Amino acid sequence: MNNILEVKNLKTIFHTYAGQISALNNISFSIGQGEAVGIVGESGSGKSVTMLSIIKLLSENGRIIEGQITFNGKDIRNAGEKEMQNIRGNDIGMIFQDPMTSLNPLFTIGNQLMEAILKHNRISKAQAKQKAIEMLKLVGIPSPEKRLSQYPHEFSGGMRQRAMIAMALSCEPKLLIADEPTTALDVTIQAQIMELMKELKNKINTSIILITHDLGLVADVCDRIIVMYGGTIVEQGKVDEIFYNPQHPYTMGLLKSIPRLNMGKERLKPIDGQPPDLIGAPYGCPFVARCPKAMQICDIKKPEYKEVGKGHGAACWLLYTKNRGGE
């Protein structure tokens, strides 16, 4: 499988009045053509910063200081704004968390959808309108011809999110990044949006990065899972390997906190403590303060990423002690 995206040793920092925040610390991963990958973790783990670093939409106080971002065979880390404007929306589609704040309330859905199509395609307005109608049909919005002339406030939450997906897919991007696409939706609409993304992946072979804090959400859509914590990747692997053979204590903690139908009176097991303060680069494992299996070395030295199977690995000192007989 050819990789559409490769990220190597990426470091992103933010300058604040309190000090320098190390938002991403040496993260590396790849996305194959037509592959769906879920990036999961708690709020503040670095999921959204990863997306914003890839598409170069960091705030003014944010900066990539190390690493490489290769998209479609080209290093785009140092690409200029004009080049990135051609890539965003055209080659990389984006779905942000809240469609109500992402859609302009002053313009109709049709105007906003056609603007995205006209920006990246040399076609007439009539052709753009027909393309917009086709995209609304594709994402399951009824009476698309009528809906084009309506404003965002006339759409339900689920329909606004579908309109955002239509906009993101309007130029048939090679990669679709969805940042918490179902956060503000009820569970029924969540399931519909996830099923829609799964269908679109199969129809047009678009690679997908699904960013979420919900492990259960990615189980049916994604091929692989990347688990982030404290600005680092603590584990990654195929969905079945993460769910049935987790290697990092943080991944295990996330899995134990997922509600199950067969739980009965069993209580959920939350992960005690709070996420780490990312001001300054941590010396040891970022999960050490909350880890029930922490050792002395975890506090003084950051664990290296270790593969435990093909495409499955984790950054945990426990993987090294296992090979030494548990010393």
Side-chain angles (χ1 to χ4, degrees), residues 221-237:
V221 178
C222 297
D223 304 300
R224 288 191 297 119
I225 296 176
I226 295 171
V227 183
M228 292 192 69
Y229 184 82
T232 66
I233 293 176
V234 295
E235 185 166 359
Q236 59 181 313

Side-chain angles (χ1 to χ4, degrees), residues 10-51:
L10 187 64
K11 284 187 178 181
T12 298
I13 63 170
F14 288 89
H15 294 286
T16 70
Y17 290 113
Q20 179 177 293
I21 296 176
S22 301
L24 296 180
N25 293 292
N26 282 321
I27 69 166
S28 300
F29 65 92
S30 61
I31 309 292
Q33 180 65 52
E35 183 181 34
V37 176
I39 301 182
V40 301
E42 292 172 275
S43 296
S45 61
K47 307 185 301 298
S48 294
V49 175
T50 299
M51 178 199 72

Side-chain angles (χ1 to χ4, degrees), residues 11-133:
K11 284 187 178 181
T12 298
I13 63 170
F14 288 89
H15 294 286
T16 70
Y17 290 113
Q20 179 177 293
I21 296 176
S22 301
L24 296 180
N25 293 292
N26 282 321
I27 69 166
S28 300
F29 65 92
S30 61
I31 309 292
Q33 180 65 52
E35 183 181 34
V37 176
I39 301 182
V40 301
E42 292 172 275
S43 296
S45 61
K47 307 185 301 298
S48 294
V49 175
T50 299
M51 178 199 72
L52 294 173
S53 298
I54 291 170
I55 59 178
K56 300 190 73 174
L57 282 180
L58 295 167
S59 57
E60 291 185 0
N61 65 330
R63 185 163 60 94
I64 298 171
I65 59 171
E66 284 185 30
Q68 184 178 354
I69 304 170
T70 304
F71 175 72
N72 205 23
K74 183 178 181 179
D75 186 359
I76 63 170
R77 180 196 156 184
N78 297 312
E81 179 57 24
K82 187 174 181 180
E83 183 179 356
M84 288 306 301
Q85 285 180 2
N86 290 328
I87 292 173
R88 297 186 206 113
N90 189 28
D91 295 318
I92 301 178
M94 297 163 288
I95 305 171
F96 294 99
Q97 289 189 31
D98 187 357
M100 200 59 199
T101 57
S102 301
L103 293 168
N104 192 322
L106 301 178
F107 293 93
T108 65
I109 295 295
N111 282 338
Q112 296 180 67
L113 191 49
M114 288 171 61
E115 180 185 14
I117 295 169
L118 288 168
K119 181 177 177 61
H120 300 289
N121 297 276
R122 293 181 179 179
I123 59 177
S124 66
K125 286 187 176 181
Q127 290 172 315
K129 182 177 180 180
Q130 187 57 41
K131 177 74 172 179
I133 292 171

Side-chain angles (χ1 to χ4, degrees), residues 139-283:
V139 298
I141 291 181
S143 305
E145 295 87 351
K146 176 186 175 183
R147 296 293 186 180
L148 279 182
S149 60
Q150 293 184 330
Y151 290 85
H153 72 270
E154 297 178 89
F155 276 41
S156 67
M159 287 177 63
R160 285 195 295 267
Q161 195 60 282
R162 287 171 185 268
M164 283 296 300
I165 294 173
M167 198 175 299
L169 293 173
S170 60
C171 295
E172 300 181 5
K174 298 177 178 67
L175 174 66
L176 176 65
I177 301 176
D179 186 6
E180 304 273 10
T182 62
T183 296
L185 306 177
D186 61 55
V187 290
T188 304
I189 303 299
Q190 278 187 19
Q192 292 175 3
I193 295 296
M194 288 297 100
E195 190 60 31
L196 170 63
M197 293 184 66
K198 188 178 178 181
E199 289 175 9
L200 294 173
K201 170 181 172 288
N202 295 332
K203 281 182 182 178
I204 60 179
N205 200 36
T206 295
S207 303
I208 296 175
I209 298 178
L210 175 60
I211 298 173
T212 180
H213 62 276
D214 187 346
L215 258 175
L217 206 60
V218 303
D220 191 44
V221 178
C222 297
D223 304 300
R224 288 191 297 119
I225 296 176
I226 295 171
V227 183
M228 292 192 69
Y229 184 82
T232 66
I233 293 176
V234 295
E235 185 166 359
Q236 59 181 313
K238 292 181 179 178
V239 170
D240 286 348
E241 292 169 335
I242 297 296
F243 273 85
Y244 298 109
N245 187 30
Q247 296 295 311
H248 197 280
Y250 179 63
T251 309
M252 298 174 192
L254 287 180
L255 291 169
K256 289 177 182 177
S257 66
I258 298 175
R260 301 184 305 276
L261 290 175
N262 62 351
M263 288 185 66
K265 295 183 179 180
E266 181 185 350
R267 288 179 173 270
L268 291 176
K269 297 177 181 179
I271 302 174
D272 294 332
Q274 298 293 326
D277 185 352
L278 296 180
I279 295 180
Y283 291 104

